[in-house]
Amino acid sequence: MSKRELDPASSILVIGAGTWGCSTALHLARRGFTNVKVLDPYPVPSPIAAGNDINKIMEHKELRGSDADAQSTAFATCTRAALIGWTTDPVFQPYFHETGFIVAGHTPALIQHIKEEEIDQSKGDFVPLETAEDFCQTMPPGILTGQFPGWKGWISRSGAGWIHARKAMVSAYEEAQRLGVNFVTGSPQGNAESLIYKDGDVIGAKTTDGLIHHAQHTILAAGAGSDRLLDFKKQLRPTAWTLSHIKMTPDEAKLYRNLPVLFNIAKGFFMEPDEEKHELKICDEHPGYCNFVVDPNNQHEKRSVPFAKEQIPLEAEARAREFLRDTMPHLADRDFSFARICWDADTVDRAFLIDRHPEYASLVVAVGGSGNGAMQMPSIGGFIVDALEGKLQPELKDVVRWRPEIAIDRDWWSTQNRFGGPDELMDFQDVKDDGWTKIA
C-alpha cells in the first residue's frame, strides 16, 4: 500500500494527546481506523495542554446574516457541530453545563465593540444589563456584591455556559483507548523530538528514546508545541494565558452552583467551583504572554517556546484581584489555592489551521486553536479526519487551509483583537524570578 492510500488498516500517527489530539483519535476510531497510535510527552491530561482545565467557556456564536464573512461562517459551522456534540454525544454530554453566559465591558469603546462583534441583539438571545443591580440579579443573592464601575453587558441563557475541559478530554481519551487506539505517553517514549522524512514526504516521527514510529499518515496536533517539529512559516505563535483558583467552603460551593459565566472582555472571567475540590476559577483577561527566546535554528530570530508552570506572574494575580473587586469584593483578598499558565497556538487571524501539508503529502496539520480550541472538542476531530480523508466541507476548507502568504510580515506583538492588562502582548522573559506567585 502506498503512503497516500487510505483504508481502515492504514497506519496513522497522531502527534499530541491534548484536546484536539484526543478528539482526533476518538473520531478516527469511530470511523473504523484500526491502526492508530498517539504520541505525547506527558500522560493525559498533559500539564501544558490548554484543555487541562476544570472549566472553559462554551459560547455558541450564530452568524449575523448576509454580512458574515467566510471566517465567521467557518467558525459558526465548527461551534454548531461542537454544541451538538456537547448536548448529544455520551462521551462529552456529562461535561457541558448550559448555565448561560454574560459578556460585558467597562468603557464605551469596549461596550461598542461587544455590540458590533460579540452579540447579535436582533435574535433576542441577549438581554441587556445596564446597572450593577442588573448584574447582581443574574445570580443568587450574596454572589455578585460589587459595584461594577462603568460596566454594561448582555446575558444569554441558552446554548452557552461552561465545559469541564479536563474531564471531557480524559473521557475522549478513554473511549478512544477502548476502541483500540494505542496511546504512547510520557517521556522519553512519547516525546516526539522530530518528524522523519523520506523521499520528500513524512513517514512518521522519532521519539526521545530513539525509536522511530513509522506511519503511512501523520497528523500533527501538538498545540502550542507543534512548531518545534515543523516550520510553520510564521503561521503559529505559542501564546499563554493565566488562571487562578480560590478554595471555597462546601456551603459556598453549593451557593455558587449553576451560575452563568461572567466575562468582561478586558478584565477577566469566572466560572462556578468544581465539584471535587470546590475551587472557583478566575482568569484575568489580556492579549497573552509569549516566551521569546533565540531560535536555535536561526540565531537572528526569536520564537515563543512553551513551558509548564503552576504559578502566574504577580501582575496577573493583581489583575485577577482587580476583577474580583469589581464583581465579588468579598473574595478579592482570598488566598489563591492554585494557579498556572495555559498555552495555546495563535494563527495570524485566529482561524484554525487544518490541512494537508503542501510539500509533505502524508502529513496533516491540525493546530491553531487560537483561544477557541477547547470548546470544539466533541467535533473538531471529525473535521480533522475529514481533512485526512480529503472531504473537508468547502466553507471550512478555504478558511483553515495552509496560508503562509498571510504570515510573511507577521507582527509577533499583535494583540489579535484581544483586550485587557496593558493592552499589549507580554513576554515571560520580562518577568523576574521574584515576580511570580508562590502558591504552595
Side-chain angles (χ1 to χ4, degrees):
M1 183 189 297
S2 71
K3 288 173 288 186
R4 284 299 307 277
E5 290 177 359
L6 186 66
D7 67 27
S10 297
S11 57
I12 302 172
L13 181 67
V14 180
I15 301 175
T19 303
W20 284 20
C22 287
S23 180
T24 301
L26 175 61
H27 281 270
L28 285 167
R30 283 178 166 177
R31 292 197 194 180
F33 291 99
T34 59
N35 190 2
V36 179
K37 181 188 291 184
V38 183
L39 301 176
D40 198 282
Y42 298 98
V44 178
S46 163
I48 65 169
N52 184 1
D53 199 355
I54 59 172
N55 40 34
K56 296 282 190 186
I57 295 172
M58 174 60 203
E59 177 197 5
H60 180 43
K61 293 183 181 179
E62 283 291 349
L63 299 179
R64 290 171 168 267
S66 60
D67 63 338
D69 60 20
Q71 185 172 337
S72 298
T73 302
F75 187 70
T77 297
C78 290
T79 55
R80 189 181 300 115
L83 186 59
I84 292 171
W86 287 119
T87 54
T88 64
D89 189 329
V91 171
F92 299 103
Q93 188 178 21
Y95 310 112
F96 173 49
H97 302 261
E98 193 176 7
T99 58
F101 178 72
I102 299 169
V103 60
H106 61 283
T107 69
L110 292 171
I111 295 165
Q112 186 63 32
H113 171 84
I114 294 170
K115 287 181 179 179
E116 295 175 355
E117 303 292 337
E118 299 291 333
I119 65 171
D120 186 353
Q121 298 180 83
S122 67
K123 292 186 178 297
D125 294 331
F126 286 89
V127 176
L129 305 173
E130 301 285 348
T131 67
E133 183 179 3
D134 289 344
F135 281 97
C136 294
Q137 289 180 349
T138 64
M139 301 185 192
I143 293 178
L144 298 180
T145 59
Q147 296 300 309
F148 291 86
W151 285 48
K152 292 186 183 299
W154 290 262
I155 182 170
S156 173
R157 293 287 187 180
S158 63
W162 63 276
I163 57 173
H164 199 302
R166 181 187 302 133
K167 287 184 177 180
M169 181 165 57
V170 171
S171 180
Y173 159 70
E174 291 177 344
E175 178 65 5
Q177 271 195 319
R178 189 188 71 81
L179 294 174
V181 174
N182 177 23
F183 284 81
V184 180
T185 62
S187 188
Q189 67 275 7
N191 184 28
E193 64 176 21
S194 64
L195 299 176
I196 300 298
Y197 302 86
K198 183 179 180 180
D199 299 330
D201 202 356
V202 171
I203 61 168
K206 179 181 179 181
T207 46
T208 305
D209 58 2
L211 289 182
I212 294 177
H213 301 261
H214 288 99
Q216 291 164 305
H217 296 268
T218 300
I219 300 174
L220 179 54
S226 297
D227 76 338
R228 69 182 177 86
L229 296 172
L230 180 72
D231 182 1
F232 277 89
K233 311 292 184 183
K234 298 185 177 181
Q235 291 177 91
L236 289 189
R237 184 190 72 185
T239 313
W241 285 269
T242 42
L243 64 89
S244 51
H245 295 176
I246 290 176
K247 186 76 170 181
M248 313 292 284
T249 67
D251 287 342
E252 286 175 326
K254 290 179 182 178
L255 178 64
Y256 281 66
R257 185 71 62 224
N258 297 320
L259 302 181
V261 176
L262 174 61
F263 177 38
N264 181 304
I265 65 171
K267 288 210 168 185
F269 59 90
F270 89 94
M271 285 174 262
E272 67 178 76
D274 70 299
E275 294 178 354
E276 285 82 15
K277 294 186 177 181
H278 300 153
E279 291 184 336
L280 185 79
K281 173 184 167 183
I282 309 101
C283 289
D284 59 306
E285 188 64 17
H286 51 73
Y289 285 90
C290 285
N291 180 45
F292 287 117
V293 299
V294 174
D295 188 337
N297 299 315
N298 184 347
Q299 297 295 312
H300 300 291
E301 292 189 6
K302 289 187 175 183
R303 56 191 292 261
S304 181
V305 177
F307 62 97
K309 193 174 183 69
E310 290 191 352
Q311 303 290 340
I312 59 174
L314 293 175
E315 61 195 20
E317 177 186 13
R319 289 190 294 263
R321 295 192 185 282
E322 180 183 354
F323 168 76
L324 288 171
R325 278 190 286 273
D326 277 9
T327 59
M328 298 179 286
H330 56 287
L331 300 179
D333 296 320
R334 288 260 191 112
D335 290 339
F336 287 167
S337 56
F338 176 78
R340 82 174 181 105
I341 58 175
C342 177
W343 288 93
D344 205 345
D346 279 334
T347 59
V348 176
D349 55 4
R350 295 177 64 186
F352 303 149
L353 174 51
I354 303 170
D355 199 3
R356 277 201 180 269
H357 195 283
E359 298 176 28
Y360 309 119
S362 299
L363 176 66
V364 171
V365 294
V367 295
S370 302
N372 293 310
M375 68 180 180
Q376 310 293 338
M377 197 185 314
S379 55
I380 195 68
F383 294 122
I384 293 166
V385 180
D386 285 345
L388 174 72
E389 295 178 329
K391 60 182 186 183
L392 193 62
Q393 54 205 83
E395 65 265 31
L396 281 178
K397 185 175 182 179
D398 187 59
V399 171
V400 302
R401 73 189 188 281
W402 180 268
R403 295 177 297 156
E405 65 275 9
I406 71 170
I408 293 173
D409 297 317
R410 180 168 193 175
D411 176 10
W412 291 114
W413 296 94
S414 169
T415 61
Q416 298 204 284
N417 209 30
R418 296 185 177 106
F419 308 96
D423 282 323
E424 60 184 26
L425 186 75
M426 295 165 283
D427 188 350
F428 282 129
Q429 293 293 315
D430 295 330
V431 180
K432 300 183 184 302
D433 291 343
D434 60 355
W436 294 83
T437 57
K438 296 179 176 60
I439 300 168

